[in-house]
Amino acid sequence: MKRRIRRSEQEYLIDCCALCKCSENCPDKYGEKITLKSQELTVHYFCLLMSSGVYQRGEENEGIYGFLVDDIKQEVRRSSRLKCAVCKKNGASVGCDVKSCQKKVHFPCGKQHQFIFQFTDLFPSYCKDHSPTQSLPVSACVSEPMSCSVCLDPIEPVLSYSVLKCPVCHGSWFHRDCVQNQAHSAGMFFFRCTLCNNKDMFQQEMLRMGVHIPERDAAWELEENAYGELLQVYQHCDAKKCLSHSGRTYSSRTGWFQVLRCALCGSSGTHRKCGSLKLDETNWACEDCAGAVDGTASLPRHTDSPQPGGQRRSRSSKRTLTLTPRQSPIVCKRPFLLGGSAREILQKLASQTSHHQLSMPVVVNGNKVLEAAMELVKRSDFNPSHALAVRFTSSKHSFSPDTCPGNTRHFLRLLVQQLQNTVFEGPDGAKTLTLDARALREDVYFDVGCLLSLSLVHGGPPLSFFSRALYLCLFNFPRDTPLTVEDMGNTGFTDKVKKIQESKSLEELREAMESASEYLEVAGCTRPVESLSDKDTLVKDIVSFHLITRMQLPVQRFCEGLKTLGVFDQVQMFPGAFVDLFCSSHDKLTADTMAALFTVQFSDQEETAGKETAVVTFWRHYLLECEVGRCATSLEDVLIFATSADVVPAVGFSPSPTLSFLHPLDPAGAFPVSQPSSNRLLLPVVPSYQAFKKHMEYVVCQLTVLQSI
């Protein structure tokens, strides 16, 4: 006789998920719990997504988010014959995606047994033995984490199922539960690494490692009236003695008892009468903000630094304060962290600079590029976020007499070359800062750092001349890497330090120290030595004094200059991304890389395009001959002719270089034409390669000769 199911028991069965037999309602762990009363069917959304035998065959509004009811019931019947590898009960609907693996589990059991469920593509699942893992790159200098970047509790620095890391910065580590809670709260639009702020690569990695990221806005954005307090205006008199008979919260529309809010923070207020302000005065700053601006209080400045020549009024002193670039280098409004490659970061910084109609004019007389640049940064109206309008006055630069991007790129190329001979010393490609009292007195270190930042963001070439020791002193990269005697360069004292380092006996060590006694006394390293092992500590102290202690002020001013346009902050945050741009010589141009730089723009007519295709063949053959030295010109000469740059700028070309074509009536008199302002090269359509090569060599060599005069 069939047992009759009581009503309460039937309701309990309907309340359980048909796939996992669990009644728990926990959206962040199992997804939304959905019940179709008409079908007497309840499922967890994640159980449904991860089930191996059911697919979304309907529209979004059919069944349960496109999963048809009949298909779901068929999956329930299929899984009812499969035993769970964890709880040993039937109904295991989730299987490992590896075909040779036979493990089947309920979704909740899989979570307990370290299954990884990927909420992307076909929603595969992987058992503990076949699940994806994370690893640290061999070349990365990664410091062990002290705590979880979300909950800040101690974390064991061993990658496992329960411990994950950011794939970009490798410095942000998480508990799996913490990063899952963060993803559930932040949603797809706000979920990113808490340390480096990377979003795209971070989300891809978290999805791969089984973190579910809801396709919705952040939870705090969905709350009703979430930002209602932002609509409230501060209306309170904070004067020590309020003179209003109606109280501190009273504010008239005009007159003596209208509350004026602080123009800087907006979080303080005063009645005109209480603040001893004039009746027509509308701008007022509270004491905290006024003190932070004029230096009378030890409070942090506002995020956006004032523009040069900008003025802020201090109520306490009733005077006007003018900030110059020396006091506060200009930074552009930008996110604190940008992330990505060095070129991508620089492009983001460049996109946030303002391209006003009033550009910064730069007039270069002859080859005095450095002099013109130094005059530029000392001008009272200097603003590095404005575009540069460079004009050369000498005849040798007559190829581009007007102000244009090509002029700017040529100016920055020459500027970086000449800056290497200012406050730097050492061999080409491995220069360090030199100690120069005159440069310190005239603040040249700040100017050089400012100009280097300006060049990087505005289209100048990669720097490529910093030594690894200089980069280490500036940005502490590679981390935990000691400085050595070789990093001191070929100074007059280096040989004496090497003798100390290479001493084989205590007597030899003391003799080497005696010969270097004057410098040791200046460095504060004069000390008695009792054993040969003391030389290691001594050499370490000497190197530290030579490269760090005595250079502290030059390095500080140089870094202040590099903060222009936010460059220093980004390099300091991502030193690994920028190290090649500062230290490694750029890759030599090849015919292939040169050809790949230019996008070919063919004509629409088929017959004309066919002739142009032949010219493209001539162009590539010409580049090959330039590479192997069979032409009078080099690849760098050709790139300068087309773009005014001999290498790809650090920020990349904008716009991208293009190839177009000229169709002259007389091919014998047809010569290539360059438009550096738009990075465009126009090639003449000629019948033979000999004519093409002859004309190319003529115009490129002509430009080279003009530049060398």
Side-chain angles (χ1 to χ4, degrees):
M1 181 176 178
K2 188 174 182 181
R3 184 173 68 91
R4 179 178 296 179
I5 300 177
R6 290 179 296 179
R7 183 177 180 85
S8 59
E9 186 178 351
Q10 185 177 11
E11 291 177 352
Y12 172 77
L13 292 175
I14 295 176
D15 189 53
C16 290
C17 174
L19 293 167
C20 71
K21 311 306 180 188
C22 176
S23 62
E24 187 175 354
N25 186 9
C26 188
D28 57 333
K29 291 177 61 177
Y30 308 130
E32 181 185 359
K33 185 178 177 182
I34 306 164
T35 299
L36 299 179
K37 291 186 178 180
S38 61
Q39 301 291 335
E40 296 185 354
L41 179 66
T42 297
V43 291
H44 290 122
Y45 185 51
F46 289 174
C47 294
L48 188 56
L49 283 178
M50 294 302 162
S51 293
S52 303
V54 63
Y55 301 94
Q56 192 177 24
R57 297 193 302 116
E59 300 296 330
E60 193 70 20
N61 58 352
E62 294 184 89
I64 299 178
Y65 297 123
F67 291 94
L68 302 180
V69 174
D70 291 342
D71 292 346
I72 298 173
K73 292 182 176 180
Q74 176 62 32
E75 175 64 7
V76 173
R77 289 192 292 269
R78 183 193 72 85
S79 62
S80 64
R81 300 187 295 269
L82 303 175
K83 183 175 293 187
C84 176
V86 178
C87 69
K88 308 303 180 183
K89 296 180 181 179
N90 290 340
S93 61
V94 183
C96 180
D97 201 56
V98 177
K99 293 183 178 180
S100 59
C101 182
Q102 300 299 317
K103 289 183 180 177
K104 305 289 189 297
V105 292
H106 300 102
F107 180 82
C109 295
K111 287 185 70 69
Q112 297 174 9
H113 205 61
Q114 299 187 3
F115 260 63
I116 282 185
F117 305 100
Q118 294 182 349
F119 294 88
T120 182
D121 296 330
L122 296 178
F123 297 90
S125 304
Y126 298 95
C127 68
K128 183 178 180 180
D129 297 331
H130 301 114
S131 60
T133 58
Q134 289 187 303
S135 60
L136 289 173
V138 177
S139 60
C141 296
V142 182
S143 57
E144 291 188 352
M146 301 298 294
S147 62
C148 170
S149 295
V150 177
C151 70
L152 303 182
D153 286 344
I155 191 170
E156 185 178 0
V158 178
L159 292 171
S160 62
Y161 175 81
S162 58
V163 177
L164 306 176
K165 70 166 182 64
C166 174
V168 181
C169 63
H170 303 294
S172 188
W173 292 51
F174 316 90
H175 296 116
R176 173 180 287 273
D177 292 341
C178 293
V179 76
Q180 178 61 77
N181 291 337
Q182 181 195 5
H184 188 264
S185 175
M188 180 172 291
F189 297 104
F190 290 92
F191 181 53
R192 59 191 67 205
C193 176
T194 55
L195 181 62
C196 70
N197 214 35
N198 183 274
K199 178 180 177 182
D200 295 336
M201 293 179 62
F202 180 71
Q203 287 193 6
Q204 291 177 10
E205 179 69 0
M206 292 302 104
L207 286 171
R208 187 180 74 88
M209 295 307 297
V211 175
H212 175 249
I213 308 173
E215 294 186 17
R216 56 162 171 78
D217 215 334
W220 59 83
E221 297 277 354
L222 302 177
E223 295 179 6
E224 185 178 357
N225 199 26
Y227 299 100
E229 67 275 7
L230 297 180
L231 302 178
Q232 299 176 6
V233 178
Y234 190 85
Q235 293 284 8
H236 191 276
C237 176
D238 297 312
K240 292 183 179 179
K241 183 178 181 180
C242 181
L243 303 177
S244 172
H245 296 294
S246 301
R248 291 183 179 272
T249 58
Y250 172 75
S251 176
S252 61
R253 293 188 177 181
T254 58
W256 290 110
F257 292 101
Q258 180 185 9
V259 172
L260 295 182
R261 290 176 296 279
C262 175
L264 301 179
C265 69
S267 300
S268 298
T270 182
H271 293 118
R272 283 193 179 92
K273 190 74 171 178
C274 306
S276 301
L277 304 177
K278 295 180 181 180
L279 193 59
D280 60 346
E281 197 159 2
T282 57
N283 289 327
W284 169 80
C286 65
E287 291 184 359
D288 290 341
C289 291
V293 171
D294 64 17
T296 60
S298 57
L299 294 175
R301 294 183 183 274
H302 289 266
T303 302
D304 298 329
S305 300
Q307 302 295 329
Q311 298 177 346
R312 285 183 180 169
R313 191 164 189 176
S314 168
R315 187 173 71 88
S316 58
S317 59
K318 297 292 184 183
R319 65 184 176 84
T320 298
L321 174 70
T322 301
L323 297 179
T324 67
R326 289 288 188 274
Q327 292 169 303
S328 179
I330 299 173
V331 295
C332 57
K333 293 180 180 179
R334 55 180 173 78
F336 180 67
L337 296 176
L338 297 178
S341 66
R343 179 171 297 178
E344 291 171 342
I345 294 173
L346 290 176
Q347 287 173 348
K348 293 173 185 176
L349 292 178
S351 67
Q352 297 176 51
T353 58
S354 55
H355 298 283
H356 298 281
Q357 293 181 351
L358 296 177
S359 302
M360 298 296 298
V362 183
V363 180
V364 183
N365 184 17
N367 62 348
K368 297 180 179 179
V369 172
L370 182 59
E371 289 83 349
M374 288 296 185
E375 290 178 6
L376 173 67
V377 297
K378 288 180 171 62
R379 286 168 49 178
S380 60
D381 62 341
F382 170 63
N383 191 327
S385 64
H386 289 189
L388 300 179
V390 182
R391 182 167 60 89
F392 291 94
T393 59
S394 63
S395 59
K396 70 178 182 179
H397 295 295
S398 59
F399 65 96
S400 55
D402 299 326
T403 58
C404 66
N407 274 9
T408 301
R409 201 174 294 128
H410 183 65
F411 167 77
L412 295 176
R413 174 166 60 91
L414 297 177
L415 175 62
V416 171
Q417 293 175 0
Q418 295 183 20
L419 283 174
Q420 298 183 42
N421 300 318
T422 53
V423 294
F424 300 97
E425 63 180 357
D428 292 341
K431 293 184 177 293
T432 60
L433 283 177
T434 183
L435 183 60
D436 189 322
R438 181 179 178 183
L440 270 175
R441 185 172 62 254
E442 298 177 359
D443 209 10
V444 177
Y445 293 96
F446 178 93
D447 294 336
V448 172
C450 178
L451 289 172
L452 290 178
S453 294
L454 187 78
S455 174
L456 289 173
V457 176
H458 282 274
L463 302 185
S464 305
F465 64 84
F466 280 40
S467 68
R468 297 280 171 164
L470 176 57
Y471 197 81
L472 176 62
C473 293
L474 293 175
F475 306 111
N476 189 29
F477 184 86
R479 294 177 179 85
D480 304 323
T481 301
L483 294 166
T484 64
V485 177
E486 286 71 22
D487 294 327
M488 295 173 59
N490 296 322
T491 64
F493 182 67
T494 305
D495 292 338
K496 295 182 179 181
V497 180
K498 287 183 178 179
K499 288 183 178 179
I500 295 176
Q501 186 180 40
E502 296 169 357
S503 300
K504 303 296 184 182
S505 63
L506 183 60
E507 182 179 357
E508 188 177 347
L509 173 60
R510 288 172 176 168
E511 291 179 358
M513 290 178 62
E514 180 64 27
S515 64
S517 58
E518 293 183 4
Y519 193 87
L520 292 179
E521 185 175 354
V522 173
C525 296
T526 302
R527 67 187 69 166
V529 290
E530 303 298 334
S531 65
L532 188 62
S533 60
D534 292 341
K535 70 177 181 179
D536 295 332
T537 304
L538 178 62
V539 170
K540 182 179 179 180
D541 291 344
I542 295 172
V543 173
S544 177
F545 168 78
H546 187 86
L547 295 175
I548 298 177
T549 306
R550 76 186 187 100
M551 296 300 297
Q552 186 172 1
L553 186 55
V555 168
Q556 179 185 348
R557 293 305 295 157
F558 184 65
C559 291
E560 288 294 324
L562 282 175
K563 289 182 180 179
T564 303
L565 295 172
V567 172
F568 180 83
D569 293 336
Q570 293 302 318
V571 181
Q572 190 177 44
M573 189 59 62
F574 305 104
F578 282 88
V579 63
D580 290 338
L581 187 147
F582 277 79
C583 299
S584 300
S585 58
H586 50 78
D587 295 333
K588 185 175 178 60
L589 278 175
T590 65
D592 290 337
T593 57
M594 184 76 168
L597 279 177
F598 290 83
T599 301
V600 183
Q601 297 178 339
F602 291 103
S603 302
D604 295 333
Q605 298 180 359
E606 185 176 349
E607 182 179 354
T608 306
K611 297 179 181 179
E612 294 170 350
T613 302
V615 176
V616 173
T617 304
F618 296 162
W619 160 254
R620 291 174 178 169
H621 190 190
Y622 176 74
L623 295 179
L624 284 172
E625 291 200 335
C626 289
E627 182 180 3
V628 299
R630 294 179 183 174
C631 289
T633 58
S634 65
L635 292 174
E636 288 76 13
D637 294 334
V638 177
L639 188 60
I640 291 174
F641 174 72
T643 66
S644 295
D646 60 343
V647 295
V648 179
V651 74
F653 283 111
S654 179
S656 299
T658 57
L659 276 182
S660 299
F661 302 92
L662 298 171
H663 294 271
L665 297 176
D666 181 13
F671 294 94
V673 176
S674 67
Q675 297 175 349
S677 60
S678 57
N679 299 324
R680 187 182 182 199
L681 180 60
L682 293 92
L683 301 178
V685 176
V686 293
S688 66
Y689 173 70
Q690 289 73 19
F692 178 87
K693 178 180 178 180
K694 177 181 177 181
H695 292 172
M696 280 293 299
E697 286 184 323
Y698 176 79
V699 294
V700 176
C701 287
Q702 186 181 41
L703 174 64
T704 305
V705 171
L706 287 174
Q707 289 183 320
S708 62
I709 294 176

